Amino acid sequence: MELNRLLLLLTIFLLRMDLSEMSPTRLVCDRRLIQKYIAEAMDLEEKVSQCGELPSLQQPVQLPMVGFSLREWMAKTNQDKGQETLRDLANLVDGTAAAQNQLSRGCALPLLQQLYEKASSFLLQLRNFGWQEQNPTTRPESGSPLISERNLRTIFGTYKQLVRGKLHFLFHDLWKDSCSVGDRQRAANPAALQPPSLTTLRGH
């Protein structure tokens, strides 16, 4: 089952992502990419809000609580930040897949599929950094807690908050540490280099 899931994610990744975006370096050094993903996450949430009344899931799905303290985040290493974000993405992908399995039709179903593909692509790209290959004993103990959720809209809100919050901050930290001055100048975009407001960091 795990091999089938990995093959499915790889297929999605190759179909949905431009080959030039597969490079971890470009992922963090071209600041336009994270802004693109933030815009896509917000667009998905807007589209699902236009679906009208949505059915509640028969069985709750497990979603990560992705709000975080900026002070605690800044105290972590990039390694710990990357591993924590990977776990949040993996849990979100699993929760989205579980929600899809409960739907056979409706306005939210194709949007859930889009979210699943985008989150899965992010997951594969972040794994290119090799964080998941580290010794498990070095991983931070405090992962994001999970909550049981039946509301479909919460899945989209969680993804948006994760992209605007932890992912955005992680990419910003990696950008400072990994990208050359030339990369920074070529990707210069004052709006993109500003981290999201602190009001987006807390809550679910």
Side-chain angles (χ1 to χ4, degrees):
M1 291 293 294
E2 182 63 24
L3 178 60
N4 290 338
R5 173 60 66 88
L6 289 175
L7 289 174
L8 174 61
L9 295 182
L10 180 59
T11 301
I12 292 171
F13 181 62
L14 293 175
L15 289 175
R16 300 286 296 183
M17 303 300 295
D18 184 274
L19 290 178
S20 64
E21 294 183 13
M22 294 176 67
S23 165
T25 301
R26 185 181 176 216
L27 182 64
V28 298
C29 292
D30 188 343
R31 298 293 293 164
R32 293 167 298 182
L33 287 178
I34 187 61
Q35 292 302 311
K36 169 189 171 185
Y37 297 135
I38 290 173
E40 289 175 347
M42 295 176 68
D43 183 59
L44 278 175
E45 187 181 46
E46 174 63 24
K47 286 180 178 177
V48 80
S49 71
Q50 298 172 5
C51 285
E53 185 174 355
L54 296 176
S56 295
L57 295 170
Q58 292 295 319
Q59 297 294 327
V61 298
Q62 299 295 306
L63 299 176
M65 297 184 66
V66 296
F68 65 101
S69 161
L70 181 59
R71 177 179 297 178
E72 293 176 1
W73 178 264
M74 293 178 64
K76 297 176 181 179
T77 65
N78 285 349
Q79 174 81 15
D80 287 351
K81 294 171 184 176
Q83 290 174 349
E84 180 177 324
T85 306
L86 271 173
R87 288 197 301 275
D88 286 350
L89 270 171
N91 287 326
L92 178 60
V93 166
D94 289 344
T96 304
Q100 283 181 282
N101 290 338
Q102 296 185 48
L103 299 178
S104 59
R105 59 190 176 124
C107 176
L109 185 57
L111 298 176
L112 275 176
Q113 178 63 27
Q114 290 181 48
L115 189 154
Y116 177 84
E117 293 175 4
K118 292 176 186 299
S120 297
S121 296
F122 251 137
L123 191 60
L124 286 170
Q125 289 181 85
L126 287 180
R127 282 177 174 164
N128 285 339
F129 285 91
W131 286 315
Q132 82 284 1
E133 298 173 359
Q134 301 297 320
N135 188 324
T137 61
T138 66
R139 291 186 299 178
E141 294 295 329
S142 56
S144 299
L146 300 177
I147 62 166
S148 296
E149 185 59 60
R150 296 177 185 270
N151 190 331
L152 286 169
R153 287 190 172 87
T154 304
I155 300 175
F156 293 87
T158 298
Y159 177 63
K160 183 189 74 172
Q161 188 178 10
L162 180 58
V163 176
R164 293 182 67 188
K166 289 183 181 180
L167 275 164
H168 193 170
F169 273 88
L170 174 63
F171 284 9
H172 184 68
D173 293 337
L174 293 174
W175 177 83
K176 290 188 298 182
D177 294 344
S178 305
C179 303
S180 67
V181 173
D183 288 328
R184 299 184 189 189
Q185 291 175 342
R186 282 190 295 272
N189 183 342
L193 300 182
Q194 294 297 322
S197 66
L198 299 184
T199 57
T200 68
L201 301 182
R202 294 186 176 276
H204 191 275

